[in-house]
Amino acid sequence: WGKKSSDERIAICESLIGWGAGYADIVKENKLFEHYYKELGLVPDGEFDQFMEAMREPLPSTIRITGYKSHAKEILHCLKEKYFKDLQELEIEEQKIDAPQPLSWYPDEQAWHTNISRKIIRKSPLLEKFHQFLVSETESGNISRQEAVSMIPPLLLSIQPHHKILDMCAAPGSKTAQLIEMLHSDMDIPFPEGFVIANDVDNKRCYLLVHQAKRLNSPCIMVVNHDASCIPTLQVDVDGKKDVLYYDRILCDVPCSGDGTMRKNIDVWKKWTTSNSLHLHGLQLRIAVRGVEQLAVGGRMVYSTCSLNPIEDEAVIAALLEKSEGALELADCSGDLPGLKWMPGVTSWKLMTKEGQWFLDWSEVPSSRHTQIRPTMFPPKDPEKLADMHLERCMRILPHHQNTGGFFVAVLVKKAPMPWNKRYPKVTLSAAPTKCSTETSAVPSPTPEGTPQEAVEDPPEEKSDTKGTEEAPKGSKQDKLCGPPPSKKIKLFGYKEDPFVFLTEDDPVFTTIQSFYDLAPGFPKLNVLTRTHDGKKRHLYMVSKELRNVLLNNSERMKVINTGVKVWSRNSDGEEFGCAFRLAQEGIYTLQPYIRSRIIQVSVEDVKVLLTQENPFLNKLEDKAHAQAKEMVMGSIVLKYIPNPNNPAEPQCPIQLCGWRGKTSIRAFVPRNERFHYLRMLGVEVFRDKQGLGQKSKDAETEANDKMERDVEEGEDVDLENGGENLSEPQTDSGLKESSS
């Protein structure tokens, strides 16, 4: 994978998610699907044909600009002025290309959609620049290609920077990225009080999640690998005492049958039956129950699926509300996203087997079907109780209303502790993760909810076609509403991760770092970690104080896949200049507020020189930057651009680059796609010469990838259309030696 080009990777991914050769043969017909949804009446009268027609049409392409980045406005300006204008009045393969339009309900024009399919964007020569822009900005974390309806749940969570957030079924991570962005809404705060813990049961999918999260360079994200239906309760240190970690916000985007995704996942047409929902209902309910157990009183949980089926949607919400006995209520979010069209949740539905047999009520279900069909799949019988649930506050998005996928979302607010918590206040004193149930890891102190781990009924065992997303644990067959769960041994799959080792304040590493970079007294040394107990520390990472608290108190409870943002990397050449660690671009926005020396203030023209020339001499910089650079000894530096509000033609956001001050020259150490990003912001049109890239020998490509694995950026040739210069990325290892010689 590492030896493949970006285009080859995209082609492989696209073939996996819906553009493979076999998809052309799939007929977009499913009589059972049409019969089922016609009979349920979820689609307004007279609109069913439009609904089915929309389901058969390809899904529009949508992109989202990462809102927390200080560069978001600049990217939006770049998109509008340079790329979207070029797309107007285009015709490709006899298809008229509509100019991209902003999603009316997404704030600040930060999300856009167009009828151009990903396949056309990737293949058409007329759209090559636009395609390269999307790929480059996506890899550098400034743009996310994400389905429109998938953007809704994080918006409804109403996230603030201090919120502790759990994403229960997070892979592949597009919603997780939104959550991180919202935490960092104020870029002047390097360490928000809040954090995101992103979980997925599938070990391999966790690495997709890591890739998504790492693009955003946040010290406030942790990726963990657990079954969401029994994700362990974590504990934190509060004023020297152990306390249970309850989350302010939880995203519960559960595994589902996915019939709302037929527009992009074409094989759903062939595989869809009503059995899918029946198999998944129990698992979805268990995950939702586990979520509300870990939610703080006053907190908010969003439950969502990409299914239109009430068995996976309103039935789960109704069962959850009934179990809660008033502890939960559905929030009215009708005014939260102006411009979004949605249908209210339904209060009556019926159930159909794959053979076409209908059941209106649990009493009609024969005993032979009781293992497959459960009472919680039907609407509550009591009209008063049903009315009090306000299921109409749920939101169902239909594809034909705004040319999107199908989706369901409900927002739950926790008003009081869960009732079974009060009935079973027993505390289990156990720290090791020997069990995986809804009572996984209790702590030895009382909590605001009466027990460190709320107990819950485990719904009846269900066969589950979870497609590698969640595994349903076996459970009780009893039809009680509340009760303690059975135990289940924890299973940890996948690779053994390197340890997360926090440094002490007096660690020898800090001696030279402190003096070389003149770190501010408030620099949180205790938040720095490495990934090895022994030997030389190769990279240093930083996490927020709150995530450090979580890591230190739960090493035996959870399987952490990744956390922290890289701030320093060991550089053997650096030792002779006073510090063995050079700054890492990934963590510069986190680290720079604490650095008081080694900073050169640069102009727009300086940035252009640094990003377009491999090893410019110091005198290529303008006078102010040149004078500052001459005063510094050789070694790692920060190149800082401060916007001038009196010159709106220049970028109005700060830019910080890592660099190296050599003996007579200076250079920027910035990954390829970030270089392209900054150059575009400065008005330089960057266009990679594919033909030139194609001529690169296999040996050279292999060598470049080996260097990248050693944390070295790969160099590529590009054309600067407005200057005709040849821009070559420096090969970092050899470049350091040249600069410092």
Side-chain angles (χ1 to χ4, degrees):
W1 182 261
K3 294 180 168 62
K4 296 188 183 295
S5 69
S6 294
D7 288 333
E8 287 173 320
R9 293 177 191 172
I10 291 167
I12 291 168
C13 291
E14 288 178 347
S15 69
L16 291 173
I17 61 173
W19 294 308
Y23 282 100
D25 302 327
I26 293 178
V27 178
K28 296 179 181 179
E29 295 285 344
N30 188 309
K31 296 299 181 187
L32 189 67
F33 175 86
E34 291 190 43
H35 172 62
Y36 181 69
Y37 280 109
K38 257 186 186 175
E39 191 71 24
L40 284 182
L42 300 179
V43 180
D45 291 342
E47 295 183 17
F48 196 81
D49 288 344
Q50 293 171 259
F51 166 75
M52 290 305 302
E53 189 178 329
M55 288 293 249
R56 294 185 179 99
E57 290 294 318
L59 196 65
S61 297
T62 47
I63 60 172
R64 181 174 55 78
I65 300 168
T66 54
Y68 89 82
K69 296 270 187 174
S70 58
H71 306 150
K73 289 182 180 177
E74 300 292 335
I75 297 170
L76 180 58
H77 176 76
C78 185
L79 273 170
K80 282 181 171 180
E81 298 302 316
K82 293 186 180 177
Y83 295 98
F84 290 167
K85 281 185 177 179
D86 293 343
L87 300 180
Q88 293 176 6
E89 308 301 324
L90 265 184
E91 277 198 25
I92 297 174
E93 298 179 3
E94 299 183 354
Q95 177 188 351
K96 188 182 180 211
I97 303 300
D98 295 332
Q101 298 294 322
L103 294 177
S104 60
W105 45 267
Y106 203 96
D108 304 323
E109 291 191 334
Q110 296 291 292
W112 293 70
H113 65 141
T114 173
N115 67 334
I116 315 173
S117 72
R118 288 189 182 185
K119 185 176 181 181
I120 290 176
I121 290 175
R122 187 166 59 87
K123 296 290 188 184
S124 171
L126 294 171
L127 298 174
E128 178 58 33
K129 284 187 195 176
F130 185 46
H131 177 239
Q132 286 193 15
F133 171 82
L134 291 179
V135 171
S136 177
E137 294 294 334
T138 299
E139 288 188 13
S140 56
N142 300 301
I143 278 179
S144 288
R145 286 184 274 184
Q146 179 181 355
E147 190 180 343
V149 290
S150 172
M151 304 175 192
I152 295 171
L155 292 176
L156 294 177
L157 278 170
S158 302
I159 286 169
Q160 300 298 320
H162 64 276
H163 282 155
K164 299 172 181 63
I165 306 162
L166 173 65
D167 190 351
M168 299 188 75
C169 310
S174 55
K175 297 182 190 71
T176 309
Q178 270 180 282
L179 301 176
I180 298 169
E181 292 164 28
M182 293 169 181
L183 271 187
H184 289 273
S185 57
D186 185 350
M187 282 297 288
D188 292 330
I189 302 175
F191 292 103
E193 287 182 36
F195 55 77
V196 177
I197 294 179
N199 173 72
D200 203 86
V201 71
D202 189 303
N203 185 260
K204 290 179 181 177
R205 283 166 62 88
C206 282
Y207 293 96
L208 283 175
L209 194 51
V210 170
H211 175 72
Q212 282 273 35
K214 272 194 169 297
R215 296 184 306 129
L216 297 170
N217 299 327
S218 170
C220 303
I221 169 72
M222 179 190 294
V223 176
V224 299
N225 180 203
H226 289 280
D227 180 343
S229 65
C230 56
I231 189 169
T233 292
L234 304 183
Q235 62 185 49
V236 287
D237 190 293
V238 180
D239 298 326
K241 296 180 180 179
K242 301 293 185 188
D243 204 351
V244 169
L245 171 62
Y246 289 105
Y247 300 94
D248 303 298
R249 297 290 186 268
I250 294 180
L251 177 54
C252 184
D253 186 54
V254 295
C256 65
S257 61
D259 59 19
T261 70
M262 283 178 162
R263 299 182 69 176
K264 66 174 182 179
N265 297 325
I266 307 174
D267 60 338
V268 177
W269 285 98
K270 183 172 62 176
K271 296 178 179 178
W272 188 91
T273 76
T274 54
S275 296
N276 299 344
S277 297
L278 303 182
H279 291 158
L280 286 164
H281 170 88
L283 173 64
Q284 291 162 338
L285 181 54
R286 282 193 292 277
I287 293 173
V289 165
R290 190 70 192 110
V292 295
E293 285 179 341
Q294 301 220 2
L295 188 64
V297 172
R300 175 178 282 219
M301 183 177 93
V302 168
Y303 175 89
S304 61
T305 75
C306 47
S307 168
L308 300 173
N309 199 326
I311 307 301
E312 302 178 63
D313 299 341
E314 285 92 345
V316 173
I317 296 298
L320 193 57
L321 290 170
E322 190 165 6
K323 283 175 178 288
S324 78
E325 298 179 9
L328 299 172
E329 73 173 22
L330 276 169
D332 182 359
C333 297
S334 55
D336 286 12
L337 296 177
L340 178 67
K341 294 180 182 177
W342 50 277
M343 298 296 297
V346 295
T347 55
S348 65
W349 60 89
K350 49 189 177 179
L351 188 149
M352 185 178 78
T353 65
K354 64 180 179 181
E355 295 82 18
Q357 184 179 6
W358 290 92
F359 298 108
L360 296 173
D361 186 78
W362 166 249
S363 61
E364 299 177 2
V365 180
S367 57
S368 60
R369 296 264 191 184
H370 280 188
T371 55
Q372 182 189 24
I373 300 173
R374 303 300 302 155
T376 53
M377 297 177 182
F378 295 93
K381 285 184 177 181
D382 185 338
E384 189 176 336
K385 185 184 289 186
L386 186 60
D388 288 343
M389 287 182 177
H390 295 292
L391 291 179
E392 71 280 356
R393 292 178 179 173
C394 299
M395 306 164 76
R396 180 174 279 103
I397 290 89
L398 299 179
H400 64 293
H401 283 165
Q402 287 181 304
N403 197 14
T404 64
F407 207 71
F408 174 88
V409 62
V411 181
L412 293 152
V413 176
K414 189 170 182 179
K415 310 297 285 185
M418 304 310 292
W420 54 84
N421 184 89
K422 300 171 186 174
R423 296 171 195 169
Y424 300 93
K426 186 178 178 182
V427 175
T428 305
L429 300 178
S430 170
T434 54
K435 303 288 183 187
C436 182
S437 69
T438 51
E439 191 169 51
T440 304
S441 52
V443 295
S445 64
T447 72
E449 298 209 7
T451 179
Q453 175 79 36
E454 298 179 344
V456 63
E457 173 205 5
D458 199 47
E461 180 181 355
E462 303 286 353
K463 294 180 181 177
S464 173
D465 179 17
T466 60
K467 301 183 181 178
T469 308
E470 295 285 350
E471 292 180 6
K474 295 180 181 179
S476 168
K477 300 283 183 185
Q478 300 174 21
D479 295 329
K480 56 193 175 184
L481 278 179
C482 297
S487 296
K488 172 184 157 188
K489 287 185 179 178
I490 193 167
K491 293 182 180 178
L492 295 180
F493 300 101
Y495 304 103
K496 181 175 173 59
E497 297 296 324
D498 291 333
F500 296 86
V501 183
F502 283 97
L503 305 188
T504 59
E505 286 190 311
D506 57 356
D507 193 291
V509 162
F510 287 126
T511 306
T512 55
I513 288 178
Q514 176 77 52
S515 59
F516 191 74
Y517 296 103
D518 189 19
L519 297 181
F523 176 72
K525 293 180 181 177
L526 293 176
N527 294 7
V528 179
L529 62 87
T530 186
R531 297 298 302 271
T532 178
H533 283 291
D534 307 309
K536 282 191 173 181
K537 301 171 180 67
R538 186 178 168 202
H539 303 299
L540 301 181
Y541 304 84
M542 287 193 77
V543 296
S544 65
K545 179 179 70 175
E546 289 75 14
L547 268 189
R548 178 182 185 272
N549 192 344
V550 173
L551 269 170
L552 288 177
N553 287 287
N554 298 281
S555 59
E556 298 299 319
R557 285 182 174 80
M558 61 181 183
K559 181 180 179 185
V560 180
I561 300 296
N562 195 276
T563 192
V565 60
K566 183 162 59 177
V567 289
W568 281 293
S569 289
R570 180 174 289 277
N571 167 38
S572 55
D573 290 336
E575 292 188 24
E576 59 186 282
F577 308 118
C579 185
F581 287 89
R582 67 174 178 86
L583 298 165
Q585 182 66 27
E586 297 98 306
I588 191 61
Y589 288 94
T590 298
L591 191 59
Q592 194 277 323
Y594 300 101
I595 296 176
R596 297 187 296 183
S597 71
R598 311 294 301 169
I599 299 172
I600 298 176
Q601 189 171 330
V602 292
S603 67
V604 167
E605 292 307 313
D606 291 333
V607 176
K608 286 181 182 178
V609 167
L610 289 161
L611 296 180
T612 58
Q613 298 182 27
E614 184 170 341
N615 245 345
F617 288 111
L618 294 176
N619 60 16
K620 289 287 188 77
L621 299 177
E622 294 187 346
D623 292 345
K624 184 176 180 181
H626 184 207
Q628 291 175 10
K630 281 188 1 182
E631 294 297 316
M632 287 186 190
V633 298
M634 290 184 284
S636 190
I637 53 173
V638 179
L639 300 158
K640 187 173 184 178
Y641 163 76
I642 300 173
N644 179 5
N646 298 321
N647 188 355
E650 293 182 348
Q652 293 301 298
C653 59
I655 296 174
Q656 297 176 31
L657 309 175
C658 291
W660 184 270
R661 199 279 200 207
K663 191 172 184 180
T664 59
S665 63
I666 194 167
R667 75 187 316 168
F669 283 139
V670 182
R672 181 194 66 213
N673 288 312
E674 283 197 52
R675 284 181 177 243
F676 294 168
H677 162 68
Y678 290 124
L679 286 169
R680 289 188 190 102
M681 284 175 51
L682 299 173
V684 179
E685 183 64 58
V686 182
F687 187 64
R688 288 164 57 197
D689 181 2
K690 274 195 165 184
Q691 190 174 6
L693 288 174
Q695 294 169 356
K696 185 190 286 186
S697 71
K698 191 171 182 179
D699 289 344
E701 194 171 330
T702 302
E703 184 182 347
N705 278 300
D706 288 343
K707 287 191 175 186
M708 187 157 42
E709 287 173 9
R710 298 196 304 268
D711 192 38
V712 177
E713 292 79 41
E714 178 184 353
E716 291 196 24
D717 292 333
V718 299
D719 287 335
L720 295 181
E721 288 196 344
N722 67 339
E725 302 172 60
N726 184 54
L727 168 60
S728 176
E729 285 241 341
Q731 302 296 329
T732 305
D733 277 356
S734 59
L736 277 176
K737 291 172 185 173
E738 290 171 19
S739 298
S740 56
S741 59

